[in-house]
Amino acid sequence: MNALTKRTFIRTKASERKIRWSRHALTELAHESASVGDVETALHQAEVIEDYPHQHRYLPDCLVLAYVFFDEPIHCVIAVNIPQ
């Protein structure tokens, strides 16, 4: 699975509001000014900036860059579960 496939999957799931959040992600988000909804909206335009195919976890993941409130950058590590 390449970065373009991951990006498309992430954007689609974000627009469908079908993102599953880890406890760690929600804990980190609690310390920020953005909400889950803000991040999901930002992920509609996310760009994969680093690709990690099965390096760290069971699922392939990637580091994405998105912008909350149109100008505040956020970085998210996202595991991608695309059925093969």
Side-chain angles (χ1 to χ4, degrees):
M1 172 185 336
N2 63 31
L4 178 60
T5 302
K6 289 178 182 179
R7 183 185 77 180
T8 302
F9 182 80
I10 292 164
R11 288 179 175 191
T12 299
K13 293 303 174 185
S15 67
E16 295 171 349
R17 300 280 191 213
K18 291 188 177 181
I19 301 291
R20 290 188 179 170
W21 295 85
S22 70
R23 181 177 296 135
H24 172 75
L26 293 173
T27 300
E28 291 297 314
L29 194 56
H31 301 290
E32 303 294 330
S33 61
S35 69
V36 165
D38 295 331
V39 174
E40 286 179 338
T41 298
L43 290 175
H44 294 177
Q45 299 300 319
E47 292 294 334
V48 174
I49 57 175
E50 290 185 22
D51 190 17
Y52 311 124
H54 291 292
Q55 289 179 354
H56 302 284
R57 296 176 185 87
Y58 174 72
L59 294 171
D61 54 2
C62 56
L63 177 66
V64 300
L65 170 64
Y67 291 89
V68 181
F69 313 122
F70 302 105
D71 63 349
E72 187 177 328
I74 58 167
H75 293 86
C76 304
V77 175
I78 299 179
V80 179
N81 189 5
I82 299 175
Q84 300 295 325

